[in-house]
Amino acid sequence: MTIRKRKSDLPEYGVKIRLYPTLVQQAKLRQFFGNDRFLWNQLVSLYQERYKNNKSLKLLTEFDLNNLLPALKNEYPFLKASDSSSFQIVTRNISDAWEAFFAGTRRKPRFHSKHNAKQSYTGKSSSIRIMGKRNMFLPKLRRVRSSKTGVIDGKIKCYTISIDACSRYWLSLIVEKKSAFLPKTGKAVGIDVGLTHLAILSDGRKFDRFSSDFCEKQAEIWQSKSSKRRHLAFVKSQQEANKKVLGAKSLSDYRNWQKANVA
């Protein structure tokens, strides 16, 4: 799903981290995915019926759809379990989709299927926050264990929780940086590129040349990894060949070994 962002002077960037929800939280997430899909399909059906019955009717706006949400929640109480901000994203997306369809720039919106391998929902960041190095507080889920949160540095604008074909859960964030520009000092400095130092400033500061020790150390590490991964790939390919496995991989098909070679 897409979300329309308010214009801001501060730059924004995307962050994607892994989530490790408990079994209870996984059940809630499956319900949240289903609730967003259910709402989308209900609104698609509503648009189609209006268009079928009278093509001259005024197109429902995002505001009109948001006014329908309380009635839908009363008719389908299970919708109340979800983060209400995710429904506002659904109404925005479907309103934009139908406007684009009538403008001739997109095809007609279709129903979403529960059989899709990837499911997701998007919400606003009203209460989402970091809780330590490996925990996030998420609406309707509370504390959820995650991968390292140190990559999040700024104000969270919106979030998307998804599950991929391998049943892994992910949290994607749009983060607004705290500061876009460094403070102005009103001072100037001259830079001279020298032979003994990488740079010498007019205020006397000196910067040494780049050291190759780090690169040499990394080269040794990855040469060792490449050798070990090649051996493991060779053993695995020989085992598959001996067992006559259908579609057995050759040595060059093992991606871990290829990654080590590229690195």
Side-chain angles (χ1 to χ4, degrees):
M1 287 188 174
T2 58
I3 181 169
R4 186 185 304 156
K5 300 187 289 295
R6 180 179 57 84
K7 291 184 178 179
S8 173
D9 295 333
L10 297 177
E12 297 176 352
Y13 64 98
V15 174
K16 187 174 183 179
I17 62 176
R18 182 85 179 270
L19 290 181
Y20 302 94
T22 64
L23 293 178
V24 174
Q25 291 170 337
Q26 290 179 27
K28 288 184 177 181
L29 284 171
R30 288 194 293 269
Q31 182 180 4
F32 298 164
F33 297 148
N35 287 352
D36 268 40
R37 182 177 61 250
F38 177 83
L39 178 62
W40 173 276
N41 291 341
Q42 288 289 316
L43 296 180
V44 168
S45 178
L46 173 64
Y47 269 98
Q48 288 183 349
E49 287 296 323
R50 284 173 57 88
Y51 184 69
K52 180 180 178 181
N53 293 334
N54 190 346
K55 296 183 180 180
S56 62
L57 285 176
K58 180 183 176 182
L59 185 66
L60 293 175
T61 64
E62 178 186 346
F63 180 78
D64 296 328
L65 296 178
N66 285 333
N67 286 336
L68 293 176
L69 291 178
L72 286 171
K73 288 182 179 180
N74 289 332
E75 185 174 358
Y76 306 101
F78 57 85
L79 295 177
K80 298 178 181 180
S82 293
D83 178 10
S84 59
S85 69
S86 68
F87 293 158
Q88 296 172 7
I89 303 300
V90 172
T91 57
R92 176 178 298 176
N93 289 334
I94 199 166
S95 175
D96 291 346
W98 278 98
E99 286 181 7
F101 166 69
F102 285 111
T105 57
R106 287 180 59 179
R107 64 185 180 184
K108 183 185 294 186
R110 297 185 296 179
F111 293 104
H112 288 173
S113 172
K114 65 179 180 180
H115 299 295
N116 289 342
K118 182 178 180 181
Q119 303 284 342
S120 67
Y121 75 92
T122 300
K124 299 177 183 178
S125 58
S126 56
S127 60
I128 183 173
R129 63 181 184 271
I130 300 172
M131 299 185 70
K133 292 183 179 180
R134 295 184 179 271
N135 287 279
M136 295 291 298
F137 185 91
L138 301 174
K140 300 292 185 176
L141 295 171
R142 303 186 68 81
R143 182 191 294 265
V144 182
R145 193 164 67 89
S146 67
S147 56
K148 291 183 179 180
T149 58
V151 293
I152 306 172
D153 183 21
K155 182 180 178 181
I156 300 173
K157 304 295 291 182
C158 69
Y159 72 95
T160 298
I161 300 179
S162 60
I163 181 174
D164 61 19
C166 298
S167 297
R168 295 174 298 187
Y169 291 86
W170 301 92
L171 174 64
S172 302
L173 303 170
I174 298 296
V175 182
E176 185 179 74
K177 289 185 177 180
K178 294 181 179 178
S179 177
F181 307 101
L182 294 175
K184 295 182 179 180
T185 62
K187 298 180 180 180
V189 65
I191 303 175
D192 178 34
V193 179
L195 297 176
T196 58
H197 295 82
L198 177 63
I200 302 175
L201 305 186
S202 58
D203 58 6
R205 287 182 292 170
K206 299 178 181 180
F207 297 89
D208 293 330
R209 290 189 174 276
F210 178 75
S211 175
S212 62
D213 293 342
F214 174 78
C215 293
E216 292 175 357
K217 184 64 176 179
Q218 290 297 310
E220 292 177 3
I221 292 173
W222 281 102
Q223 285 172 3
S224 176
K225 286 185 178 182
S226 176
S227 178
K228 292 178 181 178
R229 292 181 183 183
R230 185 186 186 285
H231 174 71
L232 293 175
F234 176 77
V235 172
K236 185 67 175 179
S237 63
Q238 290 298 311
Q239 289 176 348
E240 291 184 352
N242 293 335
K243 293 180 181 180
K244 298 182 180 180
V245 176
L246 183 62
K249 295 181 180 179
S250 63
L251 188 60
S252 60
D253 292 331
Y254 288 87
R255 296 184 62 185
N256 278 347
W257 178 47
Q258 297 298 332
K259 288 179 182 178
N261 285 340
V262 172

